[in-house]
Amino acid sequence: MAQRIFVIDDAATVRLYHRQILEGAGFEVHEAINGIEALEKVLLASTPFDLYLVDVNMPKQDGYGFLRELRQLDIRQAPAIMISTEAQAIDRVKAWEAGANFYLVKPIKPDALLGYVHLLLGAGGTA
Amino acid sequence: MKMTPLLSQFLLESRDFLDEIGTKLIALESEPDSNDLMNELFRLVHTLKGNSGLFDVPAMTRVLHAGEDLMDAVRNARLSYSQELADQLLATIDFVAVLLSDIEQTGEISSERTEPAEVLVRNLRQLIPAPSPDELDADADEPSFDPTTIPLPELSTVPETARMEAFRRSVMGSELFLIAYRPEAECFFKGEDPFYQVRQLPGLVWGHTQAREPWPPLLELDCYRCNLDFHLLAASTRSEVDEHFRYTPEQAHIQALSAFALVIPQGQSNGGPVYADFVDEALKLLHAGDVQGLADASRVMLELSAPGLWLSSALRWLQLIIEVAPEERTLLERLITSLTSSSTAELTDWAAQTHVPTPTDTAVTESEPATRLSDIDQQRLTEILAVQSEILALSESTDGLPGRLQACAATIAACLANLGEPAAELDEALAAALELNSAQPLAEWLAALREGMAPVATTAPAPTSAAATPPATAPAPAFERRSSPAMEPEAKFGRRAEDNVSGKVLKVDQTKIDRLMNLIGEMIVAKNALPYLAKRAEDEFGTRELGREIKTQYAVINRIAEEMQDSIMQVRMMPVSFVFQRFPRLVRDISRKLGKQVELVLEGEDTEADKNVIEALADPLIHIVRNSLDHGLEVPEVRQASGKPPTGQLRIRASQESDRVMIEISDDGGGINPTIIKRKAYEKGVLDEAQLERITDQEAVQLVFAARFSTVDEITDLSGRGVGMDVVRTAIDKVGGSIDLHSQVGEGTTIRLSLPLSMAVTHVMVFTSDGQNFAVPMDRVVETIRMPVTDIRTIKRSKTLSRRGKIIPLMAINELLAIPAEPQLNSAGEFTALVVRIDHQPVALMVDEFRGVMDVILKPLPGELARLKCYAGAALLGDGSVLIVLNPKELIEWA
């Protein structure tokens, strides 16, 4: 069964970009446009997700907020990658405290994204 | 840019963003102090800029970046909101809207927009107040900056000589480090000298600088800011390197390296044949522990190969490892076997897994790693684990610790899975951590894991690298420029780049290029005289020094000549579309005439080959296409009756496979009926009764290539003009190509042509028989073998060999050429044979000894001799002797 990746980003373009790359590699991709919608989907999901890609900057609830709440849920926890832009350096400590496991800087090249995603899913390397 | 779903999504969403930014800006006019509005505006501009970064629209990204910085300044109260600011931002969104329309209409941003974009960027940036010195300092002293975010260079970009030097030093006990050093932009004001710092690095092997951001236009360039990243390769010790960067640890990303990771052969992969017998022999020598023999064999092979080839690079590594680390059997074996595929993939994957070669490490290198990660994945994995350590080291007061611990453990478990390691111990550590509600147990377990994984052996000897490195082999650390010619294979073929600039295309008379081609051909032959000269200098005049110098000079001339030949050949390259373009019309006309419906599909039209090859291809290809239309594809009624769509498909596909052009012509017609072929062949006397009994269907189908064979009773004015497929085969043979036919009754026929990219030089395998040199074209050669005489079986008075379960005929070349001498055996009582392919059948030819593979300019034999078909031609060798190149097919049939 395909591994399930949850892409949380307010920009539709970014979601589509990630979706195309990840689906192209055979992953099942789910989307949410902010932290609140994402939490709902996590709670409603019949199977827990295997990996989260979380944008830092979102309306309503940002990436930090989402991760903090996600990590308090009693579900099978999975790795989360935070995604920031180069202009806005991520606050590493804040990200780690919120519950991120890694972060990447937008725009992420497809091979790099797939490389890290594969590794974080324990699916071996890509390159 | 092509309009992809992603691009249209971007355009659509960007318009929404612009609308929203406009609304927010107007709203801000009535409440200029609203923080929420300000933050929201920043977020919108920020996201829009981020999206634009996914596409190649630098003008848009630059403008939005400036807008974003301006919003950031306002948001952080470094600047107060003003009417002018609003005007500029509105101008920005209007401008971005124009850019979006550009993309919508033409797929790219008009070049007219560059100038206004720069003006706009300047205007926006002017509004941003320069950060106060306090802020600068605060930024500069940011302690949490993580050096591992500085990108490391790819090892493959490090020149081979530097990697080899590092490898040597590693064997002598140094540890290796790949370092990316990013000095602060303001470093010059602090009295730092990054270049000096780099030059003083202990054990520096190689260095390279790179602009960390694209250089701005000269007018905007601030030459007092450091924009350079330094990429370094050092053979030293961890403590020395850490000590060297002790004042600026956050500016240097230091990665320990395994020496094996340096073994990356590089070069042209399609230039050389596979030296199958060399690989076999080398492996034999290796297994026999004959390191000296292996060294000699690889040196000979290296001398025969052009230095720019992948193969040569691999051989150079082979020699180096034999010289400095002959005990690394697994590495040697991998390297040798990689020669067959000219591919590093397997090698690097494996190397990434293994450790620095120290004598105690052999246990690791000899066992196969469970999983293989590439170099880059290995780096990423290390990076991910480092982050988990960082996470686990944080204070534990925050909420959701169990969840975070589980997520960390899940991440580490994924990493272990990648390495093929069990996760049982990890689960225990996690359970302990959860019980204590503390990250401590997990953090400790991870620390132990990372220590064990560190690619450098922890027990490395302590001597300083200076002492461990003999001065003789340690040249002063040189700063090499990145742009060494060997590393830019693209640059050699300048033509492609220049082609795009229409103003720079030069029309040249073809005879001039042909003349150049002939001259370079002669040059290649002439330069081959130098090794003979070197040998004479050594043997006859006893001056080894001079001999070596001639050889060195030969290597240089050889390289230049080959590059020159490559470039000239490149000029002669033409796309197959030159031939293909006739087909749409041809197919339409013919299919109409025959009352058939045919859809023609052309693929790979931009595949290139030498002009002569393309020209030689035209007639056979037209013939094959006509055949397909005439005999292969059926009329619509017949097709429908057999359940096929009424329109038939004819597909012509060109592609390049290493140094050959492959053309595949396939139809979904009726196919060739082997029963009919057999009957006809019998009627025409191509087959006798006994053969008719034995022949398989696939073999029968190949009979269409037999001379004077035509399968259709009535002669149409199209293909049945007495010209059969035998003519096609002859034409393809003539240019050194091969043809392969596959047919399934009712499903269609596929014909594959394989042609050389160029006919200028011929790859031949040279061998000796009774003291004379002969050669056969390499494209005929299947393999070279050495077998004990006792393995020869005689069946019905014919000699045969058993090879991979198949019986193949064995003939002595002496007999075929009527040379009155017995084939010679080597000291082990083995004979040497060359297996060639003749009409898809392997035939072994007994020879005396192999001399290797050579590129020669093949000239047809002159005068009456040209009628002797068993000679493909003759070539002049470097020592002035003539090499006769045989045509094994004719030779065997003739005998």
Side-chain angles (χ1 to χ4, degrees), chain B residues 713-756:
Chain B
D713 298 317
E714 71 190 88
I715 287 179
T716 68
D717 69 336
L718 292 168
S719 48
R721 286 178 299 189
V723 184
M725 290 291 277
D726 59 321
V727 178
V728 172
R729 161 163 280 183
T730 316
I732 298 291
D733 270 354
K734 211 164 156 187
V735 294
S738 66
I739 186 164
D740 184 54
L741 184 145
H742 189 85
S743 180
Q744 195 73 41
V745 177
E747 283 175 21
T749 306
T750 300
I751 292 178
R752 279 193 200 87
L753 306 180
S754 159
L755 298 156

Side-chain angles (χ1 to χ4, degrees), chain B residues 291-607:
Chain B
V291 174
Q292 189 53 45
L294 184 59
D296 291 343
S298 63
R299 198 187 58 241
V300 170
M301 194 54 53
L302 186 57
E303 279 170 6
L304 284 173
S305 314
L309 295 180
W310 190 96
L311 184 90
S312 307
S313 174
L315 286 169
R316 284 193 292 273
W317 276 106
L318 194 62
Q319 292 223 286
L320 175 71
I321 297 161
I322 293 170
E323 182 193 329
V324 302
E327 69 284 352
E328 293 300 330
R329 288 291 155 78
T330 321
L331 178 60
L332 287 170
E333 190 171 328
R334 296 264 174 175
L335 203 50
I336 292 169
T337 43
S338 75
L339 293 177
T340 45
S341 57
S342 289
S343 148
T344 327
E346 199 193 0
L347 194 67
T348 47
D349 284 358
W350 171 77
Q353 279 285 312
T354 41
H355 299 225
V356 169
T358 57
T360 49
D361 241 12
T362 40
V364 181
T365 54
E366 269 164 31
S367 66
E368 283 270 322
T371 25
R372 295 165 176 181
L373 287 185
S374 67
D375 241 14
I376 183 149
D377 277 331
Q378 189 73 35
Q379 276 180 24
R380 286 171 180 157
L381 193 91
T382 316
E383 211 179 320
I384 292 171
L385 286 177
V387 168
Q388 305 316 304
S389 280
E390 204 178 310
I391 295 172
L392 292 170
L394 285 177
S395 71
E396 297 170 7
S397 57
T398 49
D399 296 331
L401 182 66
R404 291 198 295 112
L405 290 178
Q406 282 167 20
C408 258
T411 308
I412 301 167
C415 291
L416 290 176
N418 293 323
L419 295 167
E421 306 257 352
E425 284 181 36
L426 171 68
D427 290 344
E428 280 172 29
L430 174 65
L434 288 174
E435 189 160 331
L436 295 169
N437 199 24
S438 154
Q440 192 78 13
L442 203 52
E444 280 170 9
W445 187 86
L446 180 59
L449 172 78
R450 290 180 64 213
E451 191 146 316
M453 268 182 55
V456 175
T458 44
T459 53
T464 60
S465 71
T469 314
T473 54
F479 232 77
E480 292 193 36
R481 298 277 312 175
R482 190 200 178 104
S483 57
S484 84
M487 283 170 48
E488 290 173 12
E490 290 301 321
K492 270 206 299 198
F493 308 127
R495 192 177 84 94
R496 280 169 206 282
E498 283 158 21
D499 263 355
N500 296 335
V501 190
S502 55
K504 286 196 177 169
V505 170
L506 202 59
K507 278 195 176 170
V508 181
D509 191 334
Q510 202 202 325
T511 52
K512 289 188 182 168
I513 291 171
D514 287 348
R515 179 161 163 68
L516 269 180
M517 199 71 201
N518 284 336
L519 285 172
I520 186 67
E522 284 180 36
M523 165 94 155
I524 283 177
V525 172
K527 70 149 202 318
N528 282 344
L530 288 176
Y532 292 98
L533 202 60
K535 201 166 153 35
R536 275 190 68 196
E538 271 185 51
D539 296 349
E540 291 179 34
F541 300 99
T543 48
R544 298 194 61 143
E545 196 54 37
L546 182 61
R548 201 162 325 151
E549 274 181 39
I550 296 176
K551 273 189 197 159
T552 317
Q553 203 55 39
Y554 167 72
V556 176
I557 296 175
N558 191 38
R559 179 176 59 77
I560 298 171
E562 297 213 352
E563 277 192 51
M564 206 159 135
Q565 188 190 14
D566 248 356
S567 317
I568 297 174
M569 264 160 47
Q570 205 64 36
V571 175
R572 292 170 49 101
M573 290 293 213
M574 270 169 73
V576 294
S577 59
F578 181 76
V579 178
F580 278 18
Q581 66 193 5
R582 316 181 196 177
F583 287 122
R585 179 70 194 276
L586 185 89
V587 169
R588 198 186 66 112
D589 288 357
I590 297 181
S591 54
R592 278 233 183 122
K593 201 162 185 171
L594 295 168
K596 295 179 180 178
Q597 294 173 13
V598 180
E599 180 202 359
L600 174 71
V601 182
L602 295 175
E603 285 172 29
E605 290 159 276
D606 47 6
T607 310

